[in-house]
């Protein structure tokens, strides 16, 4: 195939993509404007205006304080604020309930670019997503924490570890439960296997959102009690009331 034929095929491919976008628009999921060829999930403007917490720059941020006196973490932070009335709340809704796994991986990668530049997260050895129970995994089709972890892994150059922390109890939803009830609900729900594979490692425990921190607290305790590892926490969103 000569260069002229390659050029024609390239132009044809671009035209087919443009035609596909005409009938199935590739739009920003926040403002619904069309995405440029270099954009994914969010347009540049909406990505710029996402309400970043910048908690990864300090170790005494509001997310870290959730866990003070509860579990021994190295660091803890979230990427963006998850506030009532914010148009960015739909990001997690699409990720968890609408099958849009690409939202989690994309935001995880953007978040990972920030963590990669932070000295506080410079010595992470492995990324551990909060696991779903197999029954819930079959219902949803994927673990939202795992797709976020995959994005973080791309940006940070750190492997995702799926064979250490497992969920062995199917629990009720945490929605509308207070912190004490949430801890009780997930108590004993997680266990650790293959602990020798993470001995001496600094693990980044990942979930989609932190509210009371109950699930992350129980997961971190399981890891700390069963391994000689250090644990930090990162979530996409920090839920708070304004």
């Amino acid at each position: 195939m000569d260069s002229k034929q390659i050029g024609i095929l390239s132009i044809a491919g671009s035209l087919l993509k443009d035609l596909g976008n005409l009938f199935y628009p590739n739009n920003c999921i926040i403002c619904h404007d069309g995405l440029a060829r270099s954009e994914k999930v969010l347009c540049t403007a909406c990505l710029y205006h996402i309400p970043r917490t910048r908690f990864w720059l300090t170790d005494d941020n509001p997310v870290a304080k959730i866990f003070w006196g509860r579990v021994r973490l190295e660091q803890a932070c979230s990427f963006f604020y998850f506030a009532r009335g914010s148009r960015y709340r739909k990001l997690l809704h699409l990720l968890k309930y609408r099958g849009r796994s690409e939202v989690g991986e994309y935001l995880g990668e953007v978040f990972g670019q920030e963590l990669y530049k932070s000295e506080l997260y410079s010595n992470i050895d492995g990324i551990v997503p909060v696991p779903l129970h197999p029954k819930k995994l079959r219902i949803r089709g994927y673990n939202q924490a795992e797709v976020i972890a995959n994005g973080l892994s791309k940006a940070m150059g750190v492997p995702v570890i799926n064979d250490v922390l497992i969920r062995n109890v199917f629990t009720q939803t945490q929605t509308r439960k207070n912190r004490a009830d949430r801890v009780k609900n997930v108590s004993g729900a997680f266990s650790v296997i293959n602990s020798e594979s993470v001995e001496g490692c600094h693990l980044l425990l990942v979930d989609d959102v932190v509210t009371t921190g109950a699930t992350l607290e129980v997961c971190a305790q399981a890891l700390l009690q069963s391994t000689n590892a250090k644990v930090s926490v990162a979530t996409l969103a920090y839920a708070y009331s304004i």
Side-chain angles (χ1 to χ4, degrees), residues 10-22:
S10 177
I11 293 171
S14 296
L15 289 174
L16 285 173
K17 183 175 181 180
D18 290 340
L19 184 61
N21 286 338
L22 178 64

Side-chain angles (χ1 to χ4, degrees), residues 167-228:
R167 190 166 195 150
N168 43 39
V169 176
F170 184 81
T171 56
Q172 299 175 358
T173 178
Q174 298 281 63
T175 305
R176 297 188 177 90
K177 294 182 183 292
N178 60 34
R179 181 191 169 272
D181 288 339
R182 288 181 182 222
V183 172
K184 183 178 180 180
N185 187 43
V186 295
S187 180
F190 301 92
S191 60
V192 173
I193 60 175
N194 302 321
S195 60
E196 68 282 354
S197 66
V198 293
E199 287 295 313
C201 293
H202 184 179
L203 304 176
L204 186 64
L205 182 63
V206 172
D207 207 358
D208 54 350
V209 61
V210 58
T211 305
T212 66
T215 299
L216 288 161
E217 176 185 342
V218 172
C219 287
Q221 289 284 20
L223 288 168
L224 291 169
Q225 290 170 2
S226 302
T227 71
N228 185 33

